[in-house]
Amino acid sequence: MDPGGASQRSGRSAETRWRGHIVRQLKHRDRSQNAMFQDLIRFYTQLLEKTNLTKRLLSRRPSAGGGASLSSLLQQNCQLKKTTGELAYQVVELQQQIRSKECVVQEQQARLQEEESRLTGVFDTHRVLRERVEQVEVENRTLKTEYDELLERQRWAESRLREEKVQEEHLLEDMMYMKKQAAALMNTRNERRSRARQATLQKELQTAARSKVTIDSPSSAPTSRSTSPKDGHQDESSRRTRGRLFRSASSPRNLGFFFPSLHLFDRKRRGHSVCLQEDQLFPVGVCLSARVPARALHVLEAHEEGINAVRFSFGSDLLATGGTDRVIKVWEVRAGSLTHRTTLDGSTEGITCVEFDPTGWKILAASYDRSALLWQLDASVPKVTLTGHSRKVTAARFTCVPHQVVTGSQDRTVRLWDLHRAACVQQVEAGSYCTDLVCSESSIISGHFDSKIRVWDPRAVSCVQELPAQGRVTSLDLSSDRRQLLSCCRDDCL
Amino acid sequence: MADDKDVLRDVWFGRIPTCFTLNPDEITEREAEPYYLLLPRVSYLPLVTDKVKKHFHKVMKAEDVEEMWFEYEGTPLKWHYPIGVLFDLHASNTVLPWSITVHFKSFPDRDLLHCPSNSIIEAHFMSSIKEADALKHKSQVVNDMQKKDHKQLWMGLQNDKFDQFWAMNRKLMEYPTEEGGFRYIPFRIYQALSERLFIQKLFRPVSPEGNTHTLGDLLKEMYPDALTNDGEQKRYQVLIHGIEPLLETPLQWLSEHLSHPDNFLHICAIPVPTD
């Protein structure tokens, strides 16, 4: 222990000593001076107060009982009597008051009873109301549960809707993707085909160029050779067949015409369309030579994609071409070359067939988009769109009746349309996919995929005649006198 | 410290049993009974003797009543001393209860101050507190107090409310810790057998060397007679609140805990009774 700590401790002990001393002394002082006398003094004070009280009482009595004179007594008596009288009067008065009060009390009791009865009535109604409240509450609860259920169902339905929407989106995306793929595939295939086609064509051209065409001198032409009207026709048919062949082989972008026979005819007319020449030549009935056209007179890159249909107008020197690039182009044929005149668009798919009307002002086209379209030459948008077929429309022709057209479709029907109303007038189930149509005055002739040529009566809507062909009929045409029919079949025969 | 709080409580609730008797010279209608009362040591006579006054008024004619004053064995009791001091100074070591004679006549103007109302006592009490605080804190604390704080001190004393009084008095007992105590200890030493009223001087709670001053140091400085030398018989009792603290008790602690409500440490030096 260090001395500092010791001194501190001694200091503390000293502190406790003097402090303890003081506390002890104070306690002792209180005991001797306070506690001992506390009760004593209290009791003394009480006693003093009591004695004072008794003293006062004692001191008062002798003064009250002191000798009083008789007169004062009498006076007192009189006064007392007076007060008695007053008191009696007061009693009577008070009794009266009591009676009136009783009346009031009774009245009040009656009212009280009345109020009580009313109260019970009110209580009853209250109970009834409470019952009703409970009932309503129960109903409310059931409604609430129903509502909750409905809410739950709605939520469920909404979630399902959302799911469906998501699915739909997915499907849409998938579809888009597929379509894109399909388009890409188609493009590549087309390209491949076109390349192959071009190759063959080139080869053909080469062969054609190599094989020297033996053209007779124009001076000997008009009088010699056969005069069959069929020849010219044959020319055209063969040309068309070639066109068809082009189409079936996914035509190239070059449009080639073989006009060798033109040299057989009048030189002045060279360069005019074949149809025009035929029309003018036919009445003459002279055709000097008939030959399969072997040389392209004019080669033109006309369309962006394959050409499906080609047609001359009846009267004027116009040529219409329709292709898979969805447009129809009208060309003016002049001096053996084609100049572009107008483009008709409106079809949403490729064109399968084109025809001029007898006036040469309207063009009818059949389209892959299951419709047939009618243009006027001076308007590039279609005037009428005939819809109704369920597959692609393969053929569309004007009938001999004005404002009437007939269409054949892959959906195995042939339909008759009224152009005024732009509506289907008649529909014939042909039984097979119709590839081409021609119209005479009284009948419609259709070539079919099942190697049959059917002749229809447009008024009776019935098959008049059924002619068998050797193969699938791909194309038909009628001679100008409408008595002879030319058909083109898949067995490579005319 | 819990002990300290108990000490404060014991000091506050110190009581002296007193028997008031009417001066036989007074003219009474009938015999006056003596009146007994426990007087609080820390209070002043006029504050607690209303009942005495009432009691004796009953037996006296109103016209004979003048200002009441008290006397003990021929000594008029100064009302401006705390009751405990009066008792310790004049009547300690006597048989209890303390018998005080009550006078209503012939007021000793030379010895006593008149006390017409409690406001006089209040003024005296507050001036004592201010004087004590001037010694302790250069009056800073008491001047910082508001009027209502002063009132709280006075009302605490007047109504004998220990907590109310000490809630405020606590502030007066604070001191900066680095100084180890008050600037000066407010004390008064009363001598029973002296013409001097009391000794009051400046005295620091800590010596210049840093030692704490004790009660013994104070007495040695102020009143050496009160101390007993070795081998001598004890001549004086040193009473504070009726007790004799040890001389080694630190003066600062005494000032904090054994002071009267007026913040003075009232010390009574009385001769040891010789039987």
Side-chain angles (χ1 to χ4, degrees):
Chain A
M1 288 278 171
D2 60 317
S7 73
Q8 215 171 25
R9 204 172 43 178
S10 72
R12 198 174 303 147
S13 69
E15 190 180 317
T16 49
R17 195 163 48 152
W18 54 254
R19 195 197 303 274
H21 180 77
I22 284 168
V23 170
R24 267 196 308 282
Q25 284 221 328
L26 278 171
K27 297 276 180 238
H28 179 256
R29 184 201 71 183
D30 281 349
R31 237 191 344 271
S32 62
Q33 298 184 352
N34 190 348
M36 278 168 67
F37 293 91
Q38 213 168 3
D39 293 339
L40 200 68
I41 286 172
R42 202 174 65 238
F43 287 134
Y44 175 78
T45 315
Q46 282 174 0
L47 262 174
L48 199 71
E49 276 170 13
K50 268 187 199 164
T51 43
N52 275 345
L53 212 66
T54 41
K55 238 186 238 169
R56 219 172 300 146
L57 285 172
L58 284 171
S59 64
R60 193 168 297 167
R61 197 170 297 162
S63 69
S69 66
L70 193 68
S71 63
S72 72
L73 273 176
L74 277 173
Q75 207 176 337
Q76 270 188 357
N77 198 12
C78 276
Q79 211 153 3
L80 280 172
K81 270 180 189 166
K82 212 195 271 175
T83 49
T84 321
E86 275 174 18
L87 284 172
Y89 176 69
Q90 275 182 1
V91 164
V92 172
E93 224 170 44
L94 285 171
Q95 269 173 350
Q96 261 179 350
Q97 273 184 6
I98 284 169
R99 236 169 283 142
S100 63
K101 292 274 179 201
E102 267 174 2
C103 279
V104 172
V105 164
Q106 272 175 357
E107 205 176 293
Q108 278 183 346
Q109 269 176 349
R111 264 177 51 196
L112 206 67
Q113 272 176 352
E114 203 177 300
E115 290 293 328
E116 266 174 9
S117 65
R118 257 183 57 195
L119 196 69
T120 51
V122 168
F123 266 124
D124 283 347
T125 50
H126 175 75
R127 207 172 42 237
V128 169
L129 282 174
R130 176 153 288 179
E131 274 165 20
R132 263 193 56 197
V133 163
E134 274 165 19
Q135 205 176 321
V136 167
E137 267 174 6
V138 167
E139 277 171 26
N140 251 350
R141 231 167 291 144
T142 52
L143 277 174
K144 175 90 172 109
T145 51
E146 272 173 41
Y147 173 76
D148 284 349
E149 261 171 47
L150 283 173
L151 215 65
E152 192 62 37
R153 273 177 57 189
Q154 190 211 7
R155 224 170 286 145
W156 182 74
E158 267 174 8
S159 68
R160 267 202 51 196
L161 183 72
R162 229 170 290 136
E163 270 169 39
E164 295 285 333
K165 266 188 183 166
V166 169
Q167 228 170 345
E168 188 198 313
E169 259 167 47
H170 282 309
L171 282 174
L172 218 68
E173 268 172 34
D174 286 355
M175 208 166 79
M176 297 286 281
Y177 180 68
M178 301 279 266
K179 276 207 169 169
K180 238 181 253 175
Q181 267 191 337
L185 200 68
M186 190 69 99
N187 279 345
T188 52
R189 203 178 296 156
N190 281 349
E191 208 166 317
R192 218 181 314 140
R193 271 185 198 168
S194 73
R195 227 174 281 144
R197 183 78 186 77
Q198 208 157 359
T200 51
L201 187 73
Q202 224 147 33
K203 213 188 277 176
E204 256 176 73
L205 277 173
Q206 277 173 3
T207 51
R210 242 180 276 130
S211 66
K212 202 71 176 153
V213 182
T214 55
I215 305 169
D216 299 330
S217 64
S219 56
S220 64
T223 48
S224 67
R225 291 298 179 94
S226 127
T227 55
S228 166
K230 201 180 173 183
D231 285 353
H233 200 67
Q234 202 173 353
D235 279 353
E236 194 192 48
S237 296
S238 67
R239 181 192 43 78
R240 186 173 298 159
T241 313
R242 288 228 170 219
R244 291 295 150 129
L245 281 170
F246 286 162
R247 186 191 68 177
S248 62
S250 176
S251 64
R253 287 165 189 193
N254 294 335
L255 181 64
F257 284 103
F258 302 90
F259 283 167
S261 62
L262 287 179
H263 299 288
L264 302 178
F265 307 126
D266 188 1
R267 190 173 284 182
K268 278 191 275 182
R269 302 245 167 100
R270 194 184 327 169
H272 284 246
S273 79
V274 175
C275 283
L276 187 68
Q277 284 168 2
E278 272 181 281
D279 285 344
Q280 288 179 342
L281 283 176
F282 179 66
V284 178
V286 181
C287 186
L288 295 180
S289 73
R291 191 171 298 186
V292 175
R295 191 173 63 89
L297 191 71
H298 184 81
V299 179
L300 180 73
E301 192 158 311
H303 282 263
E304 288 165 12
E305 285 176 45
I307 293 170
N308 290 339
V310 179
R311 183 71 81 163
F312 283 101
S313 68
F314 283 101
S316 69
D317 44 1
L318 291 175
L319 177 73
T321 57
T324 39
D325 58 356
R326 305 170 190 176
V327 294
I328 291 170
K329 291 192 175 177
V330 180
W331 311 86
E332 211 167 341
V333 186
R334 188 165 293 159
S337 67
L338 300 171
T339 47
H340 181 242
R341 189 163 155 194
T342 179
T343 303
L344 311 172
D345 53 8
S347 169
T348 54
E349 294 282 341
I351 306 296
T352 57
C353 179
V354 180
E355 195 182 45
F356 282 93
D357 82 324
T359 63
W361 271 105
K362 289 175 188 166
I363 291 179
L364 180 69
S367 166
Y368 262 98
D369 65 359
R370 305 170 196 171
S371 64
L373 300 121
L374 185 77
W375 282 272
Q376 259 181 335
L377 265 187
D378 49 358
S380 64
V381 288
K383 189 183 165 198
V384 180
T385 304
L386 307 170
T387 53
H389 282 293
S390 56
R391 308 280 299 266
K392 69 172 177 180
V393 182
T394 53
R397 302 273 182 237
F398 289 99
T399 61
C400 299
V401 183
H403 301 302
Q404 215 177 47
V405 295
V406 63
T407 58
S409 163
Q410 209 178 4
D411 65 356
R412 302 175 189 174
T413 57
V414 174
R415 289 179 191 228
L416 208 61
W417 307 83
D418 186 354
L419 286 180
H420 283 306
R421 290 186 285 162
C424 182
V425 181
Q426 278 176 353
Q427 182 181 343
V428 180
E429 284 285 340
S432 177
Y433 155 25
C434 173
T435 54
D436 205 357
L437 283 168
V438 283
C439 300
S440 65
E441 284 93 342
S442 58
S443 60
I444 297 165
I445 304 158
S446 61
H448 290 269
F449 196 68
D450 61 351
S451 314
K452 297 240 171 83
I453 296 167
R454 292 187 173 88
V455 182
W456 308 86
D457 185 351
R459 283 154 299 195
V461 200
S462 59
C463 187
V464 180
Q465 210 177 351
E466 218 175 83
L467 307 170
Q470 286 88 344
R472 288 182 223 151
V473 180
T474 57
S475 187
L476 288 175
D477 210 339
L478 213 58
S479 67
S480 304
D481 59 359
R482 302 184 193 280
R483 259 177 289 165
Q484 282 170 320
L485 175 72
L486 181 68
S487 74
C488 183
C489 301
R490 253 288 153 89
D491 63 348
D492 304 332
C493 292
L494 284 174
Chain B
M1 249 171 108
D3 267 1
D4 289 350
K5 183 95 184 198
D6 286 342
V7 169
L8 291 177
R9 232 167 229 292
D10 285 340
V11 165
W12 182 270
F13 290 106
R15 294 286 188 272
I16 300 165
T18 318
C19 170
F20 291 94
T21 47
L22 193 64
N23 176 27
D25 293 347
E26 301 285 339
I27 301 150
T28 56
E29 287 186 317
R30 56 179 191 278
E31 198 188 348
E33 307 283 340
Y35 195 80
Y36 288 85
L37 208 60
L38 280 171
L39 296 179
R41 272 178 170 274
V42 296
S43 191
Y44 297 92
L45 276 172
L47 269 183
V48 293
T49 50
D50 280 350
K51 282 183 175 175
V52 179
K53 204 177 190 171
K54 233 196 233 163
H55 174 75
F56 291 115
H57 275 186
K58 283 179 199 162
V59 297
M60 291 176 71
K61 284 186 179 159
E63 59 264 30
D64 296 333
V65 176
E66 290 173 29
E67 188 176 350
M68 179 173 69
W69 57 281
F70 304 96
E71 168 248 293
Y72 172 72
E73 292 186 344
T75 317
L77 296 176
K78 296 182 173 71
W79 63 259
H80 56 279
Y81 288 0
I83 292 166
V85 172
L86 290 173
F87 176 76
D88 290 344
L89 197 59
H90 302 299
S92 59
N93 303 315
T94 60
V95 178
L96 289 170
W98 185 24
S99 183
I100 292 179
T101 311
V102 182
H103 293 261
F104 286 97
K105 264 190 201 163
S106 51
F107 195 88
D109 292 319
R110 279 190 63 238
D111 296 322
L112 297 184
L113 298 168
H114 284 281
C115 180
S117 74
N118 283 358
S119 62
I120 304 291
I121 312 168
E122 181 183 354
H124 166 69
F125 171 71
M126 288 315 300
S127 76
S128 289
I129 283 188
K130 283 172 186 168
E131 186 183 349
D133 198 55
L135 292 168
K136 290 198 283 191
H137 310 106
K138 292 183 176 172
S139 296
Q140 278 168 355
V141 179
V142 82
N143 285 346
D144 285 347
M145 284 181 175
Q146 294 175 335
K147 184 76 187 161
K148 73 175 175 55
D149 299 335
H150 294 167
K151 208 77 188 166
Q152 187 177 338
L153 285 169
W154 166 245
M155 294 309 282
L157 177 71
Q158 193 180 19
N159 301 324
D160 197 22
K161 294 282 194 286
F162 174 78
D163 291 322
Q164 186 186 352
F165 177 81
W166 269 100
M168 198 47 64
N169 200 41
R170 198 167 38 77
K171 291 183 188 170
L172 292 169
M173 290 302 178
E174 285 165 357
Y175 57 87
T177 40
E178 66 268 19
E179 288 178 19
F182 302 134
R183 271 178 79 242
Y184 299 105
I185 299 293
F187 72 93
R188 280 170 187 175
I189 298 174
Y190 300 85
Q191 297 152 273
L193 304 174
S194 171
E195 282 303 303
R196 288 179 67 183
L197 294 172
F198 48 77
I199 301 167
Q200 180 177 351
K201 287 181 178 169
L202 297 179
F203 193 80
R204 291 183 181 273
V206 183
S207 70
E209 294 82 38
N211 300 322
T212 50
H213 277 140
T214 62
L215 179 61
D217 296 333
L218 176 77
L219 289 172
K220 201 192 279 176
E221 182 90 21
M222 301 297 161
Y223 194 52
D225 290 351
L227 296 175
T228 312
N229 297 324
D230 291 337
E232 250 181 319
Q233 207 176 5
K234 192 175 162 188
R235 286 177 297 164
Y236 284 99
Q237 278 184 311
V238 178
L239 290 176
I240 305 172
H241 286 287
I243 60 166
E244 285 182 89
L246 296 177
L247 292 179
E248 67 204 52
T249 314
L251 205 55
Q252 174 68 30
W253 189 90
L254 284 174
S255 181
E256 281 175 50
H257 296 88
L258 292 191
S259 282
H260 276 262
D262 61 5
N263 276 239
F264 271 91
L265 188 62
H266 294 275
I267 305 166
C268 294
I270 55 160
V272 172
T274 50
D275 294 312

